[in-house]
Amino acid sequence: MHKDCEKIVIGAEEIAARVQEAAAWLDGRFCGSVPVAVCNLKGSVMFFTDLVRAMKTDVELDFMAVSSYGNETVAAGRPKIKKHLFSSVQGRDVILAEDIVDTGRTLVTLRNFFAERGAKSLTVVTLLDKPSRRKVNVSADFTCFVVEDAFLVGYGLDYAERYRNLPYIAALRRDVYES
Ligand code: IMP
């Protein structure tokens, strides 16, 4: 385990098994259509690439970035769209891969974004959910893991842009972000 981490919360094998289940669930939902799978950068990148490779359904890939974090462990305000999609989602079935639903504000922003752009449907798949921190009433359609309120890093999740490449999800040591 990385020296800055307190404990591994979800191991690499457990993540891989659950991502297969998420992919199978999506395959069951989308047989017959070609959805656009959207990765919300950067935290969802590992989850997204594993998820779409585990799917049997034909999908198109697109990328956007919505963020309310600076180099902090708590959201620093209203989520902002920092990078737009490459293509139109008008009339399309959209799959959105999220890393974590925390206060829920990012997900509300994204739900509004896809509704305004005329997506035919939106299916949200999140790697993690921290329901104890929710500030707005919103949820994903498929959640891989429900987690306690701790600051987590790894498998795409960062603190100040670090730890994204850890293959597991771990709780960051408090003294690392409080110092
Ligand atoms: P929300 O808008 O508060 O739901 O925040 C969602 C975003 O906050 C996620 O997409 C993450 O980028 C970030 N976030 C929330 N909790 C954590 C965490 O424990 N570790 C790393 N990033 C987090």
Side-chain angles (χ1 to χ4, degrees):
M1 186 178 73
H2 193 288
K3 64 176 175 43
D4 293 350
C5 296
E6 194 175 289
K7 66 169 179 181
I8 294 178
V9 175
I10 310 166
E13 284 179 14
E14 205 182 338
I15 296 170
R18 190 67 177 137
V19 170
Q20 294 291 328
E21 290 175 3
W25 182 82
L26 287 168
D27 283 336
R29 206 173 162 103
F30 287 105
C31 60
S33 98
V34 180
V36 185
V38 176
C39 175
N40 182 20
L41 295 166
K42 299 174 189 169
S44 305
V45 65
M46 308 299 180
F47 176 47
F48 180 77
T49 56
D50 284 345
L51 184 71
V52 293
R53 281 180 296 170
M55 287 177 70
K56 294 188 174 70
T57 310
D58 283 339
V59 285
E60 293 175 20
L61 308 186
D62 211 333
F63 300 85
M64 63 185 297
V66 178
S67 176
S68 50
Y69 276 44
N71 286 346
E72 316 292 329
T73 57
V74 287
R78 224 168 129 250
K80 292 183 190 63
I81 296 179
K82 297 197 167 162
K83 194 218 153 296
H84 275 270
L85 295 168
F86 287 94
S87 7
S88 165
V89 289
Q90 174 83 39
R92 302 294 303 274
D93 291 315
V94 174
I95 297 167
L96 172 68
E98 265 289 35
D99 53 355
I100 181 165
V101 185
D102 187 37
T103 65
R105 290 192 178 109
T106 303
L107 187 49
V108 167
T109 302
L110 283 162
R111 281 200 181 279
N112 292 339
F113 174 88
F114 287 108
E116 281 162 16
R117 271 151 193 81
K120 184 173 149 203
S121 71
L122 176 65
T123 303
V124 180
V125 184
T126 188
L127 175 66
L128 303 174
D129 188 0
K130 272 190 207 171
S132 61
R133 299 242 322 146
R134 198 73 91 253
K135 293 278 189 277
V136 286
N137 185 18
V138 68
S139 58
D141 301 290
F142 188 100
T143 298
C144 292
F145 301 99
V146 175
V147 289
E148 307 280 311
D149 181 15
F151 195 77
L152 304 174
V153 293
Y155 194 65
L157 296 166
D158 75 311
Y159 170 62
E161 292 301 327
R162 288 186 54 199
Y163 315 109
R164 291 192 197 275
N165 60 323
L166 298 177
Y168 47 78
I169 296 166
L172 191 63
R173 277 189 7 233
R174 273 187 170 272
D175 60 290
V176 173
Y177 58 86
E178 286 181 351
S179 60

